[in-house]
Amino acid sequence: MPKNNATNTMDKIVSLAKRRGFVFQSSEIYGGLNSCWDYGPLGVELKNNIEKMWWDEMTLRPDIVGLDASILMHPRVWEASGHVASFTDPMIDCKQCKMRFKADDLPPDKLEAKQCPHCGTKGSLTDARNFNLMFKTFMGPLEDDAAVTYLRPETAQGIYVNYQNVATVSRLKVPFGIAQVGKAFRNEITPGNFIFRTREFTQMEMQFFVKPGEDETWFEYWKEQRWNFYLKLGINPDKLRFSDHGPNDLAHYAKAATDVEYEFPFGWKELEGVHNRTDFDLTRHQEFSGKSLLYFDDANKERYLPYIIETSAGLNRTMLTVMIDAYWEDTEHDRIVLKLHPRLAPVKAVICPLVKKDGLPEIAHQIEDDLRPHFPVIYDQQSSIGKRYYRQDEAGTPYGITVDHQSQEDKTVTLRDRDTLAQERLPITALVDEIKKRMNDA
Ligand code: ATP
């Protein structure tokens, strides 16, 4: 069967990710572990760069501070949050081919006829059974009910239960926000599409505490901020859209919600959720913990439970988006390029001596040493200059520096631009400033 384009594009991304060391299958030598991935040398840099941009975007402002809460929390947290009772997906199995589906993913006609969309057998689907997505585990040596706890399925709850601590020590007044980046775990029924949906992933969440009545204005504000963030990552705006949740798809905690969606090769899918969670979470934690979570507004001498506007993004999913969006087959020059925004590129410049002799490697190594304190660079003298640049184009490296015989005479080199292929000759001493300038202007 010919492969459709979606599979093709994803296959190409997965293959590039592996070839260049962005992402490897987890436990590969044991045959791999379904839906688990390891980030290689370039992948971890790209992921860190995205995380850093998000962190700076959130915390380099006076009204938001950071937090790093633990993954394991008191089990009552998950009762209060509603996850124990209702963080479930309805799951359906095919008795014939044993495929498993999320009921929400099946078309209504197939559900009606209980027909498996995979093997086609009619009447082979089971009834939907609710399956809780939280990973259960045990604290301490006793594997009994009293020791049950969960790997957090979202980072948000760590922020809610700490909100008073954070407000007090930071002397922040409503409106203010708390940002957190950390791992979350969901026992997804149908993980897939590479790093798009996995059972272990990293969330970048910011919870913004506002006065009730001001929530709608702040919701709109954060919608716009989050849209702009994806533009700063260099993502093509034509591939982005908002998808507002209608009254029937709103989560139990939300008054308003929108998803920032990207057009992946497998369709429009959520990148990030922006939610108006009202005072649902604080009310519940107050009730379950028996502790007052009221906020005292000094200026107006009033007490209230703040409303919360949440922005919740997935780091791995953002990285996949950035890679897909940057993937470019430059047929004119017969090369594959990751047109990553220079700020995100794992390596900023490659330094290549034209030949491995005549003193050129020494000059190139000196340049490497001079540039490295300013940004990540690599040195490459392996194979032809064309092949070296090809490798770096795929890795997304925006600048290439070639040291040639003229460099010995006049201490100049050529600086190559990954996207335009334009080459400029400039003094070695001007490299740092020029590359910094280009990165800033990008
Ligand atoms: P979906 O509908 O895709 O399952 P969700 O609505 O459950 O997502 P949220 O609970 O709003 O997602 O989580 C916020 C963000 O966390 C998502 O927009 C996504 O970027 C990321 N995320 C959620 N689940 C996963 C997962 N299984 N793998 C990778 N990222 C995820």
Side-chain angles (χ1 to χ4, degrees), residues 87 89 102 153-154 186 188 195-205 245 253 259-260 269-273 275 310 312-318:
F87 192 54
D89 266 346
K102 247 165 99 169
E154 61 177 30
R186 297 181 186 178
E188 300 275 3
I195 55 174
F196 176 83
R197 186 183 302 286
T198 49
R199 296 193 171 109
E200 171 184 345
F201 55 98
T202 299
Q203 285 190 315
M204 306 184 286
E205 294 199 310
H245 293 207
Y253 53 75
D259 294 338
V260 181
K269 300 279 176 202
E270 171 178 340
L271 257 184
E272 163 159 1
H275 309 126
E310 161 181 77
S312 176
L315 176 55
N316 319 73
R317 209 175 268 190
T318 306

Side-chain angles (χ1 to χ4, degrees), residues 103-276:
D104 305 344
D105 293 342
L106 292 178
D109 58 316
K110 300 274 189 239
L111 269 178
E112 181 115 348
K114 297 206 159 208
Q115 183 184 16
C116 174
H118 182 67
C119 70
T121 314
K122 284 202 173 138
S124 67
L125 296 182
T126 62
D127 289 336
R129 285 168 297 148
N130 270 339
F131 170 75
N132 194 298
L133 301 182
M134 279 199 294
F135 274 97
K136 222 184 228 181
T137 187
F138 301 95
M139 286 271 255
L142 291 179
E143 296 200 356
D144 60 17
D145 284 352
V148 165
T149 187
Y150 304 93
L151 302 188
R152 66 181 175 196
E154 61 177 30
T155 57
Q157 301 301 327
I159 296 183
Y160 304 147
V161 301
N162 274 300
Y163 112 92
Q164 279 180 331
N165 283 339
V166 172
T168 310
V169 298
S170 320
R171 291 193 285 141
L172 284 167
K173 306 265 175 267
V174 165
F176 72 89
I178 304 175
Q180 176 169 225
V181 178
K183 289 251 172 153
F185 301 82
R186 297 181 186 178
N187 207 352
E188 300 275 3
I189 297 170
T190 48
N193 286 320
F194 193 32
I195 55 174
F196 176 83
R197 186 183 302 286
T198 49
R199 296 193 171 109
E200 171 184 345
F201 55 98
T202 299
Q203 285 190 315
M204 306 184 286
E205 294 199 310
M206 194 283 300
Q207 312 290 330
F208 203 73
F209 299 78
V210 306
K211 189 171 180 185
E214 294 177 3
D215 49 308
E216 289 176 18
T217 313
W218 280 108
F219 178 75
E220 292 306 321
Y221 169 85
W222 280 109
K223 251 180 97 165
E224 190 185 330
Q225 295 298 306
R226 298 312 302 146
W227 179 270
N228 292 340
F229 176 72
Y230 292 102
L231 303 188
K232 286 185 201 163
L233 291 181
I235 291 172
N236 175 1
D238 297 340
K239 297 236 164 199
L240 287 171
R241 71 176 187 195
F242 280 121
S243 169
D244 294 336
H245 293 207
N248 296 333
D249 1 291
L250 277 180
H252 59 277
Y253 53 75
K255 170 172 159 188
T258 192
D259 294 338
V260 181
E261 293 189 337
Y262 180 79
E263 191 178 17
F264 289 93
F266 42 90
W268 285 96
K269 300 279 176 202
E270 171 178 340
L271 257 184
E272 163 159 1
V274 181
H275 309 126
N276 179 347

Side-chain angles (χ1 to χ4, degrees), residues 342 348-350 397-401 415-418 435 438-439 442:
K348 309 303 180 192
V350 58
T397 307
Y399 310 111
I401 296 159
L415 183 62
R416 168 192 186 265
D417 181 277
R418 173 195 69 200
I435 291 176
R438 289 189 188 193
M439 287 204 293

